[in-house]
Amino acid sequence: MHVSLFPFYEYVWLYGVFTVLVLIVLTVDLGIFHRKAHVVSFREAAAWSAAWISLSLVINFLLYHYALWKFPQDPRLAAIANFHPPAAARQVALEFLTGYIVEYSLSVDNIFVFVVVFRYFGIAAIHQHRVLFYGILGALIFRALFIATGAFLMQYHWVVLGFGVFLILTGIRMMFAPDTEVHPEKNFLIRLFRRFVPVSAEMHGQKFFVRLKRVPHATPLFVTLLFLEATDIVFAVDSVPAIFALTSEPLIVFTSNICAILGLRSLYFLLASAMDKFHLLKYGLSVVLIFVGLKMTWLNSLYGGKFPITISLGIIAGVIGGPLHRATVDHYVVAEVWEANGDAGHGGSMIA
């Protein structure tokens, strides 16, 4: 029988503290560092990505030490035979790290959609940060709802098996299906929105809504935001079950998922100009989805209910690391040429 290390009724304050921290970081990010849009170099985008990754590792470090301090004092856990607090704390840290890597890697697939959608709606680079910022705020809300629903459903074994089969089929489809084009104009939500809300024909700066001839209109900027939110909901259908395959603790799923989302904007600005270099990554991601699906349907039971997280971390890091290393080397060469010739002369600016 599974015993929750972080039952919600006892650790609701920890969810609250983490959420407040995220909101503070986002406020500082938008209100101070990105109050005014500016052109950034490849190195600056890389620095922001490193900053978000470092913040996530610090959170993982703090969670590990909190668990190391708290678990020995918890009488509920102390009553469990053969419970070893240091080992449980290490398990927490490794599950967070593995979940973060999976979510962060899957986010690369989402970046391709961002690039296509921004081009389709003609969103200038200077406005893209605003769309992504509010897109992340919406993603935080939807992910919280998804994770809460998942935590409830994952109590039932048949649901676990169903999610596992779904991830295996998704991985197989990703591996063998040809790359599909994104057609925002065919999206049901966008068509439904346009039917009830007038949309202006042109941009109006950074505004999401304007009043034209006394009639409120949405701008293409808001339609872009709406499409990205709908895309993220579809994306979460894969990513949230994938992390639940690695840990049964909703707190770890929530914190690792949100930490990965926070770094999505800087990752976009870092990689958007070289998405064609990541064509091999889809095969690595498909293998990861198949692996976590097998973990849910077979491997966990094979190992007495819990497949070792250290092996999971090694497999996922190895499978993702190869394509990422190849793409990063190729992208670094492109970036060096880009830097040497000047940012403005290669495919437009990148805005942080």
Side-chain angles (χ1 to χ4, degrees):
M1 178 182 177
H2 170 71
V3 177
S4 177
L5 298 175
F6 301 101
F8 182 78
Y9 63 90
E10 290 185 19
Y11 289 91
V12 62
W13 65 270
L14 194 52
Y15 285 89
V17 168
F18 177 76
T19 302
V20 170
L21 174 63
V22 168
L23 294 177
I24 291 174
V25 169
L26 288 176
T27 301
V28 171
D29 180 19
L30 184 66
I32 298 179
F33 293 105
H34 297 113
R35 189 172 184 177
K36 183 178 180 180
H38 62 280
V39 178
V40 298
S41 66
F42 172 81
R43 286 186 175 86
E44 187 175 350
W48 273 107
S49 294
W52 288 115
I53 293 173
S54 298
L55 177 63
S56 300
L57 294 178
V58 168
I59 291 174
N60 191 17
F61 178 80
L62 294 176
L63 184 61
Y64 164 71
H65 279 278
Y66 174 76
L68 197 60
W69 169 78
K70 179 64 177 178
F71 288 170
Q73 305 178 47
D74 191 332
R76 181 179 56 87
L77 298 178
I80 302 174
N82 299 321
F83 180 77
H84 190 235
R90 285 194 299 271
Q91 180 82 3
V92 166
L94 289 171
E95 288 179 353
F96 177 99
L97 180 60
T98 308
Y100 176 79
I101 291 174
V102 169
E103 177 67 25
Y104 200 72
S105 301
L106 289 171
S107 297
V108 176
D109 200 42
N110 229 18
I111 289 175
F112 171 77
V113 177
F114 292 174
V115 173
V116 173
V117 171
F118 282 143
R119 288 175 182 171
Y120 174 83
F121 286 105
I123 306 301
I126 197 170
H127 301 312
Q128 290 176 8
H129 179 273
R130 178 176 172 83
V131 175
L132 291 176
F133 179 86
Y134 285 101
I136 284 178
L137 288 181
L140 296 178
I141 297 173
F142 287 119
R143 292 303 174 91
L145 294 175
F146 265 84
I147 292 169
T149 303
F152 171 75
L153 293 177
M154 296 293 280
Q155 300 177 66
Y156 302 99
H157 185 63
W158 65 269
V159 174
V160 176
L161 294 177
F163 274 137
V165 172
F166 171 75
L167 290 174
I168 292 172
L169 295 177
T170 300
I172 294 173
R173 178 172 56 85
M174 180 184 292
M175 181 178 294
F176 294 105
D179 294 332
T180 56
E181 296 183 359
V182 179
H183 298 285
E185 74 280 2
K186 296 181 180 180
N187 181 270
F188 172 76
L189 183 61
I190 298 300
R191 289 190 285 116
L192 184 65
F193 180 79
R194 287 181 182 273
R195 180 175 298 179
F196 293 98
V197 180
V199 178
S200 64
E202 49 189 41
M203 297 283 296
H204 293 267
Q206 295 197 84
K207 295 180 179 179
F208 287 126
F209 291 94
V210 293
R211 188 176 291 273
L212 301 176
K213 297 180 180 180
R214 298 184 179 182
V215 177
H217 284 65
T219 67
L221 204 66
F222 182 80
V223 177
T224 304
L225 174 63
L226 185 64
F227 184 83
L228 292 183
E229 291 291 2
T231 301
D232 184 75
I233 292 175
V234 175
F235 173 73
V237 172
D238 291 338
S239 64
V240 171
I243 300 182
F244 268 113
L246 301 168
T247 177
S248 55
E249 296 293 335
L251 178 65
I252 299 176
V253 177
F254 179 67
T255 51
S256 63
N257 204 282
I258 298 305
C259 282
I261 291 175
L262 289 176
L264 187 56
R265 283 170 304 150
S266 58
L267 190 63
Y268 165 77
F269 293 114
L270 181 66
L271 303 180
S273 61
M275 285 308 297
D276 58 311
K277 302 294 186 300
F278 289 81
H279 60 280
L280 293 177
L281 184 61
K282 80 167 190 174
Y283 298 106
L285 295 177
S286 64
V287 172
V288 168
L289 290 177
I290 293 171
F291 166 69
V292 295
L294 288 173
K295 188 174 182 296
M296 297 177 81
T297 57
W298 175 51
L299 293 175
N300 280 339
S301 59
L302 186 66
Y303 280 77
K306 191 77 172 180
F307 187 78
I309 189 63
T310 51
I311 300 178
S312 296
L313 178 58
I315 291 174
I316 291 170
V319 169
I320 294 296
L324 277 182
H325 174 72
R326 173 64 182 273
T328 302
V329 170
D330 292 345
H331 184 37
Y332 183 76
V333 172
V334 172
E336 287 296 310
V337 175
W338 178 44
E339 292 278 358
N341 290 277
D343 297 347
H346 291 269
S349 60
M350 296 172 70
I351 307 300

